């Protein structure tokens, strides 16, 4: 095996070693020239698709091949699943004879965590990464800024950082750890709403009429960045440059959700003047020039923008229905009830779409009646494990009408999650259902079968000390 390939296969080889040690007690030695051994990992360029892999176990040995090193790593995770399914055999060093040829239905399978609302230390984020990697997730979105906190310490604007935040070294540590699991870490800086933490430091960058209205970090005060203040764009240009340099991800998420336009831009003399000058009828139309400038800063960094798809909040469904997202913005469908519309609109417009519908993928919603969160529930609907599982990210549409769906994302908004235990309690086992929705073709999905395959995995989560919700099979009533 060429030396450079081995280097790239190192994370998969390390993972294989851990899996075999943990499940079978075997301690295998790694060798770059192990082509003759009974255990082989290799990149096979005859395979296509970034995560296409094969696992073959026979009398001759174990071979895991993949189109890329990431694919080989996913194959190792599948081996882990096989061994988990029959721990007694595995303990005896016996691996079932199989021939698996597998590739994901969707290229993106993401979870989003929210250290902005409740900070999560680096070690907890790393642990979270470890678990999600076992289920072949390949992206972690970090919601880094919100009303409750600004969680990234920047050189350019150090004052912004909340007392608990990630340093550049922390970010590098998270990113490197994620990379070993072939997980892309996507930063999110939420603008122009959800910016109370920012505006508590720079109140002069909010709308003119609110400058003297006090802001308390930790309260959702629905303040927005002023659309008609040049300094906002200069500051964010610098922030985006620094964030872009810290994260190797090709993407930056800019939020764009839940902006309180009527109490901010609509009342602000400067924003009103800008509306007039542009000939706009509604203050929400200022989103167009606002994001035009922000997006040009993002493009200058070489990154691709992602935004929450807002259909009824920023852009009210009036007769002059607006769908003004520039073509290079990847959208995330999230708001309950709006996903079918969002799916259709983006199919027409050709925008790339991530599916995170509130109906299935909002892992911050309670899993049962009277379950957590018992406080701070603004009316979140119950989302059972079964409801999470019954998610077809293509919403049953024709192949053509879902061709623009890039993948799935589960959100763990953390207003009611004070620590990582609560985060995993909300995430699991539903994130297992979502992982399957993202990976597996509909014809291979089966709820009853899933619940059976679930047990060894729950057993494993328990053994690892990861909290999760049981019982999970009840209807939720
Ligand atoms: C809406 S989902 C939000 C978040 C909240 C979440 C609570 C989205 C784009 N914005 O700021 O945390 O609801 O479920």
């Amino acid at each position: 095996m060429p030396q450079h390939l081995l280097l790239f296969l190192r994370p998969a080889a390390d993972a294989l070693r851990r899996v075999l040690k943990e499940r079978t007690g075997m301690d295998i030695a790694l060798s770059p020239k192990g082509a003759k051994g009974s255990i082989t990992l290799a990149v096979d360029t005859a395979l296509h698709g970034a995560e296409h892999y094969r696992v073959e176990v026979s009398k001759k040995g174990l071979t895991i091949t993949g189109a890329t090193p990431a694919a080989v790593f996913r194959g190792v995770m599948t081996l882990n699943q096989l061994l988990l399914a029959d721990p007694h055999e595995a303990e005896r060093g016996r691996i079932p004879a199989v021939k698996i040829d597998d590739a994901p239905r969707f290229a993106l399978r993401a979870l989003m965590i929210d250290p902005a609302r409740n900070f999560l230390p680096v070690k907890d984020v790393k642990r979270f990464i470890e678990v999600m990697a076992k289920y072949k997730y390949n992206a972690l979105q970090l919601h880094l800024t919100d009303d409750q906190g600004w969680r990234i310490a920047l050189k350019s604007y150090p004052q912004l950082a909340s007392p608990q935040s990630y340093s550049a070294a922390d970010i590098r540590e998270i990113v490197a750890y994620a990379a070993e699991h072939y997980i892309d870490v996507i930063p999110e800086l939420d603008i122009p709403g959800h910016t109370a933490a920012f505006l508590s430091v720079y109140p002069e960058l909010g709308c003119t009429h609110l400058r003297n209205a006090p802001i308390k970090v930790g309260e959702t005060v629905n303040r927005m960045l002023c659309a008609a203040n040049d300094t906002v764009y200069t500051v964010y240009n610098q922030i985006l440059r620094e964030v872009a340099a810290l994260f190797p991800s090709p993407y930056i998420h800019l939020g764009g959700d839940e902006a309180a336009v009527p109490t901010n831009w609509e009342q602000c003399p400067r924003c009103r003047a800008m509306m007039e000058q542009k000939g706009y009828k509604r203050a929400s139309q200022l989103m167009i020039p606002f994001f035009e400038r922000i997006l040009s800063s993002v493009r200058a960094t070489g990154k691709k923008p992602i935004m929450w798809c807002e259909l009824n909040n920023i852009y009210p469904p009036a007769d002059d229905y607006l769908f003004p997202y520039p073509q290079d913005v990847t959208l995330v469908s999230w708001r309950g009830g709006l996903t079918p519309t969002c799916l259709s609109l983006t199919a027409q417009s050709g925008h790339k779409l991530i599916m995170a519908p509130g109906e299935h993928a909002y892992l911050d919603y309670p899993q049962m009646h009277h379950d957590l969160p018992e406080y701070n529930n603004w009316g979140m609907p119950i989302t059972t494990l079964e409801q999470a599982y019954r998610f077809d990210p293509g919403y049953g549409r024709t192949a053509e009408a879902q061709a623009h769906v890039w993948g799935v994302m589960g959100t763990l908004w953390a207003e009611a999650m004070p620590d990582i235990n609560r985060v995993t309690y909300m995430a699991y086992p539903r994130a297992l259902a979502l992982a399957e929705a993202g990976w597996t073709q509909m014809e291979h999905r089966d709820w009853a079968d899933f619940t059976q395959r679930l047990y060894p995995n729950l057993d494993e989560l328990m053994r690892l000390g990861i909290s999760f919700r049981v019982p999970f099979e009840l209807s939720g009533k």
Side-chain angles (χ1 to χ4, degrees), residues 123-142:
K123 72 168 179 20
D124 290 345
V125 176
K126 286 167 76 175
R127 193 127 168 83
F128 191 80
I129 286 171
E130 245 167 67
V131 180
M132 64 189 278
K134 293 188 180 182
Y135 298 98
K136 302 192 181 72
Y137 280 102
N138 62 4
L140 175 67
Q141 182 169 318
L142 288 185

PDB file of all heavy atoms in Angstrom, residues 123-142:
ATOM      1  N   LYS A 123     -14.382  18.721  25.959  1.00  0.00           N
ATOM      2  CA  LYS A 123     -14.390  17.266  26.173  1.00  0.00           C
ATOM      3  C   LYS A 123     -15.784  16.679  25.912  1.00  0.00           C
ATOM      4  O   LYS A 123     -15.906  15.563  25.422  1.00  0.00           O
ATOM      5  CB  LYS A 123     -13.865  16.889  27.562  1.00  0.00           C
ATOM      6  CG  LYS A 123     -14.778  17.214  28.725  1.00  0.00           C
ATOM      7  CD  LYS A 123     -14.259  16.515  29.985  1.00  0.00           C
ATOM      8  CE  LYS A 123     -15.051  16.770  31.255  1.00  0.00           C
ATOM      9  NZ  LYS A 123     -16.417  17.245  31.221  1.00  0.00           N
ATOM     10  N   ASP A 124     -16.821  17.438  26.214  1.00  0.00           N
ATOM     11  CA  ASP A 124     -18.184  16.959  25.950  1.00  0.00           C
ATOM     12  C   ASP A 124     -18.486  16.948  24.453  1.00  0.00           C
ATOM     13  O   ASP A 124     -19.140  16.038  23.946  1.00  0.00           O
ATOM     14  CB  ASP A 124     -19.214  17.840  26.672  1.00  0.00           C
ATOM     15  CG  ASP A 124     -19.164  17.655  28.182  1.00  0.00           C
ATOM     16  OD1 ASP A 124     -18.548  16.671  28.633  1.00  0.00           O
ATOM     17  OD2 ASP A 124     -19.718  18.501  28.909  1.00  0.00           O
ATOM     18  N   VAL A 125     -18.006  17.962  23.764  1.00  0.00           N
ATOM     19  CA  VAL A 125     -18.223  18.011  22.314  1.00  0.00           C
ATOM     20  C   VAL A 125     -17.510  16.821  21.663  1.00  0.00           C
ATOM     21  O   VAL A 125     -18.057  16.160  20.767  1.00  0.00           O
ATOM     22  CB  VAL A 125     -17.726  19.350  21.712  1.00  0.00           C
ATOM     23  CG1 VAL A 125     -17.870  19.356  20.195  1.00  0.00           C
ATOM     24  CG2 VAL A 125     -18.473  20.532  22.330  1.00  0.00           C
ATOM     25  N   LYS A 126     -16.314  16.516  22.151  1.00  0.00           N
ATOM     26  CA  LYS A 126     -15.555  15.394  21.579  1.00  0.00           C
ATOM     27  C   LYS A 126     -16.266  14.068  21.831  1.00  0.00           C
ATOM     28  O   LYS A 126     -16.344  13.208  20.951  1.00  0.00           O
ATOM     29  CB  LYS A 126     -14.144  15.364  22.158  1.00  0.00           C
ATOM     30  CG  LYS A 126     -13.272  16.484  21.574  1.00  0.00           C
ATOM     31  CD  LYS A 126     -11.977  16.692  22.320  1.00  0.00           C
ATOM     32  CE  LYS A 126     -10.939  15.641  22.013  1.00  0.00           C
ATOM     33  NZ  LYS A 126      -9.655  15.970  22.686  1.00  0.00           N
ATOM     34  N   ARG A 127     -16.828  13.948  23.006  1.00  0.00           N
ATOM     35  CA  ARG A 127     -17.561  12.724  23.331  1.00  0.00           C
ATOM     36  C   ARG A 127     -18.800  12.598  22.430  1.00  0.00           C
ATOM     37  O   ARG A 127     -19.123  11.515  21.943  1.00  0.00           O
ATOM     38  CB  ARG A 127     -17.977  12.800  24.803  1.00  0.00           C
ATOM     39  CG  ARG A 127     -18.457  11.539  25.379  1.00  0.00           C
ATOM     40  CD  ARG A 127     -17.673  11.240  26.675  1.00  0.00           C
ATOM     41  NE  ARG A 127     -18.323  10.147  27.402  1.00  0.00           N
ATOM     42  CZ  ARG A 127     -18.124   8.881  27.125  1.00  0.00           C
ATOM     43  NH1 ARG A 127     -17.307   8.536  26.152  1.00  0.00           N
ATOM     44  NH2 ARG A 127     -18.745   7.951  27.815  1.00  0.00           N
ATOM     45  N   PHE A 128     -19.432  13.724  22.212  1.00  0.00           N
ATOM     46  CA  PHE A 128     -20.613  13.739  21.347  1.00  0.00           C
ATOM     47  C   PHE A 128     -20.232  13.301  19.930  1.00  0.00           C
ATOM     48  O   PHE A 128     -20.929  12.526  19.284  1.00  0.00           O
ATOM     49  CB  PHE A 128     -21.216  15.149  21.350  1.00  0.00           C
ATOM     50  CG  PHE A 128     -22.579  15.219  20.715  1.00  0.00           C
ATOM     51  CD1 PHE A 128     -23.706  14.833  21.415  1.00  0.00           C
ATOM     52  CD2 PHE A 128     -22.732  15.656  19.407  1.00  0.00           C
ATOM     53  CE1 PHE A 128     -24.962  14.875  20.833  1.00  0.00           C
ATOM     54  CE2 PHE A 128     -23.980  15.709  18.811  1.00  0.00           C
ATOM     55  CZ  PHE A 128     -25.102  15.315  19.532  1.00  0.00           C
ATOM     56  N   ILE A 129     -19.092  13.789  19.475  1.00  0.00           N
ATOM     57  CA  ILE A 129     -18.579  13.434  18.141  1.00  0.00           C
ATOM     58  C   ILE A 129     -18.337  11.930  18.039  1.00  0.00           C
ATOM     59  O   ILE A 129     -18.706  11.284  17.058  1.00  0.00           O
ATOM     60  CB  ILE A 129     -17.280  14.232  17.845  1.00  0.00           C
ATOM     61  CG1 ILE A 129     -17.632  15.691  17.554  1.00  0.00           C
ATOM     62  CG2 ILE A 129     -16.487  13.608  16.692  1.00  0.00           C
ATOM     63  CD1 ILE A 129     -16.430  16.623  17.470  1.00  0.00           C
ATOM     64  N   GLU A 130     -17.713  11.390  19.078  1.00  0.00           N
ATOM     65  CA  GLU A 130     -17.406   9.959  19.110  1.00  0.00           C
ATOM     66  C   GLU A 130     -18.657   9.116  18.894  1.00  0.00           C
ATOM     67  O   GLU A 130     -18.646   8.159  18.123  1.00  0.00           O
ATOM     68  CB  GLU A 130     -16.895   9.630  20.510  1.00  0.00           C
ATOM     69  CG  GLU A 130     -15.494   9.193  20.637  1.00  0.00           C
ATOM     70  CD  GLU A 130     -15.107   9.246  22.098  1.00  0.00           C
ATOM     71  OE1 GLU A 130     -15.652   8.460  22.918  1.00  0.00           O
ATOM     72  OE2 GLU A 130     -14.274  10.104  22.433  1.00  0.00           O
ATOM     73  N   VAL A 131     -19.729   9.498  19.594  1.00  0.00           N
ATOM     74  CA  VAL A 131     -20.954   8.698  19.509  1.00  0.00           C
ATOM     75  C   VAL A 131     -21.615   8.877  18.145  1.00  0.00           C
ATOM     76  O   VAL A 131     -22.025   7.908  17.505  1.00  0.00           O
ATOM     77  CB  VAL A 131     -21.940   9.058  20.654  1.00  0.00           C
ATOM     78  CG1 VAL A 131     -23.204   8.205  20.548  1.00  0.00           C
ATOM     79  CG2 VAL A 131     -21.272   8.853  22.011  1.00  0.00           C
ATOM     80  N   MET A 132     -21.694  10.113  17.666  1.00  0.00           N
ATOM     81  CA  MET A 132     -22.375  10.313  16.379  1.00  0.00           C
ATOM     82  C   MET A 132     -21.634   9.623  15.235  1.00  0.00           C
ATOM     83  O   MET A 132     -22.247   9.137  14.281  1.00  0.00           O
ATOM     84  CB  MET A 132     -22.654  11.799  16.090  1.00  0.00           C
ATOM     85  CG  MET A 132     -21.456  12.677  15.916  1.00  0.00           C
ATOM     86  SD  MET A 132     -21.897  14.451  15.855  1.00  0.00           S
ATOM     87  CE  MET A 132     -22.392  14.639  14.141  1.00  0.00           C
ATOM     88  N   ALA A 133     -20.315   9.546  15.365  1.00  0.00           N
ATOM     89  CA  ALA A 133     -19.522   8.893  14.313  1.00  0.00           C
ATOM     90  C   ALA A 133     -19.885   7.416  14.184  1.00  0.00           C
ATOM     91  O   ALA A 133     -19.833   6.851  13.092  1.00  0.00           O
ATOM     92  CB  ALA A 133     -18.034   9.038  14.617  1.00  0.00           C
ATOM     93  N   LYS A 134     -20.262   6.797  15.310  1.00  0.00           N
ATOM     94  CA  LYS A 134     -20.630   5.375  15.259  1.00  0.00           C
ATOM     95  C   LYS A 134     -21.841   5.152  14.379  1.00  0.00           C
ATOM     96  O   LYS A 134     -22.092   4.045  13.927  1.00  0.00           O
ATOM     97  CB  LYS A 134     -20.940   4.865  16.660  1.00  0.00           C
ATOM     98  CG  LYS A 134     -19.714   4.856  17.527  1.00  0.00           C
ATOM     99  CD  LYS A 134     -19.942   4.173  18.842  1.00  0.00           C
ATOM    100  CE  LYS A 134     -18.627   4.247  19.602  1.00  0.00           C
ATOM    101  NZ  LYS A 134     -18.608   3.608  20.868  1.00  0.00           N
ATOM    102  N   TYR A 135     -22.633   6.194  14.199  1.00  0.00           N
ATOM    103  CA  TYR A 135     -23.853   6.067  13.395  1.00  0.00           C
ATOM    104  C   TYR A 135     -23.727   6.768  12.042  1.00  0.00           C
ATOM    105  O   TYR A 135     -24.703   7.117  11.419  1.00  0.00           O
ATOM    106  CB  TYR A 135     -25.056   6.518  14.236  1.00  0.00           C
ATOM    107  CG  TYR A 135     -25.144   5.591  15.432  1.00  0.00           C
ATOM    108  CD1 TYR A 135     -24.623   5.952  16.667  1.00  0.00           C
ATOM    109  CD2 TYR A 135     -25.597   4.296  15.243  1.00  0.00           C
ATOM    110  CE1 TYR A 135     -24.595   5.043  17.718  1.00  0.00           C
ATOM    111  CE2 TYR A 135     -25.567   3.372  16.282  1.00  0.00           C
ATOM    112  CZ  TYR A 135     -25.068   3.758  17.515  1.00  0.00           C
ATOM    113  OH  TYR A 135     -25.025   2.839  18.524  1.00  0.00           O
ATOM    114  N   LYS A 136     -22.471   6.958  11.653  1.00  0.00           N
ATOM    115  CA  LYS A 136     -22.143   7.441  10.304  1.00  0.00           C
ATOM    116  C   LYS A 136     -22.602   8.864  10.016  1.00  0.00           C
ATOM    117  O   LYS A 136     -22.754   9.260   8.862  1.00  0.00           O
ATOM    118  CB  LYS A 136     -22.667   6.482   9.226  1.00  0.00           C
ATOM    119  CG  LYS A 136     -22.123   5.047   9.362  1.00  0.00           C
ATOM    120  CD  LYS A 136     -22.442   4.229   8.119  1.00  0.00           C
ATOM    121  CE  LYS A 136     -21.955   2.805   8.215  1.00  0.00           C
ATOM    122  NZ  LYS A 136     -22.713   1.952   9.144  1.00  0.00           N
ATOM    123  N   TYR A 137     -22.837   9.645  11.066  1.00  0.00           N
ATOM    124  CA  TYR A 137     -23.043  11.078  10.834  1.00  0.00           C
ATOM    125  C   TYR A 137     -21.744  11.644  10.276  1.00  0.00           C
ATOM    126  O   TYR A 137     -20.654  11.191  10.654  1.00  0.00           O
ATOM    127  CB  TYR A 137     -23.402  11.789  12.143  1.00  0.00           C
ATOM    128  CG  TYR A 137     -24.855  11.618  12.529  1.00  0.00           C
ATOM    129  CD1 TYR A 137     -25.235  10.715  13.507  1.00  0.00           C
ATOM    130  CD2 TYR A 137     -25.836  12.367  11.892  1.00  0.00           C
ATOM    131  CE1 TYR A 137     -26.569  10.555  13.857  1.00  0.00           C
ATOM    132  CE2 TYR A 137     -27.174  12.217  12.236  1.00  0.00           C
ATOM    133  CZ  TYR A 137     -27.536  11.314  13.214  1.00  0.00           C
ATOM    134  OH  TYR A 137     -28.858  11.161  13.540  1.00  0.00           O
ATOM    135  N   ASN A 138     -21.859  12.630   9.401  1.00  0.00           N
ATOM    136  CA  ASN A 138     -20.630  13.196   8.843  1.00  0.00           C
ATOM    137  C   ASN A 138     -20.513  14.707   8.978  1.00  0.00           C
ATOM    138  O   ASN A 138     -19.584  15.303   8.422  1.00  0.00           O
ATOM    139  CB  ASN A 138     -20.432  12.753   7.387  1.00  0.00           C
ATOM    140  CG  ASN A 138     -21.546  13.240   6.471  1.00  0.00           C
ATOM    141  OD1 ASN A 138     -22.436  13.970   6.903  1.00  0.00           O
ATOM    142  ND2 ASN A 138     -21.483  12.849   5.214  1.00  0.00           N
ATOM    143  N   ALA A 139     -21.448  15.326   9.721  1.00  0.00           N
ATOM    144  CA  ALA A 139     -21.301  16.772   9.955  1.00  0.00           C
ATOM    145  C   ALA A 139     -21.884  17.149  11.311  1.00  0.00           C
ATOM    146  O   ALA A 139     -22.882  16.579  11.754  1.00  0.00           O
ATOM    147  CB  ALA A 139     -21.988  17.566   8.854  1.00  0.00           C
ATOM    148  N   LEU A 140     -21.210  18.091  11.944  1.00  0.00           N
ATOM    149  CA  LEU A 140     -21.676  18.633  13.222  1.00  0.00           C
ATOM    150  C   LEU A 140     -21.753  20.137  13.074  1.00  0.00           C
ATOM    151  O   LEU A 140     -20.742  20.792  12.795  1.00  0.00           O
ATOM    152  CB  LEU A 140     -20.693  18.281  14.344  1.00  0.00           C
ATOM    153  CG  LEU A 140     -21.009  18.904  15.715  1.00  0.00           C
ATOM    154  CD1 LEU A 140     -22.297  18.337  16.299  1.00  0.00           C
ATOM    155  CD2 LEU A 140     -19.850  18.678  16.689  1.00  0.00           C
ATOM    156  N   GLN A 141     -22.951  20.678  13.210  1.00  0.00           N
ATOM    157  CA  GLN A 141     -23.079  22.134  13.163  1.00  0.00           C
ATOM    158  C   GLN A 141     -22.976  22.677  14.579  1.00  0.00           C
ATOM    159  O   GLN A 141     -23.634  22.186  15.497  1.00  0.00           O
ATOM    160  CB  GLN A 141     -24.421  22.522  12.530  1.00  0.00           C
ATOM    161  CG  GLN A 141     -24.573  24.034  12.426  1.00  0.00           C
ATOM    162  CD  GLN A 141     -25.757  24.431  11.560  1.00  0.00           C
ATOM    163  OE1 GLN A 141     -25.992  23.838  10.513  1.00  0.00           O
ATOM    164  NE2 GLN A 141     -26.502  25.419  11.994  1.00  0.00           N
ATOM    165  N   LEU A 142     -22.131  23.687  14.739  1.00  0.00           N
ATOM    166  CA  LEU A 142     -21.986  24.342  16.047  1.00  0.00           C
ATOM    167  C   LEU A 142     -22.705  25.680  15.999  1.00  0.00           C
ATOM    168  O   LEU A 142     -22.261  26.591  15.294  1.00  0.00           O
ATOM    169  CB  LEU A 142     -20.507  24.598  16.368  1.00  0.00           C
ATOM    170  CG  LEU A 142     -19.607  23.432  16.726  1.00  0.00           C
ATOM    171  CD1 LEU A 142     -18.227  23.965  17.111  1.00  0.00           C
ATOM    172  CD2 LEU A 142     -20.187  22.608  17.870  1.00  0.00           C
TER     173      LEU A 142
END
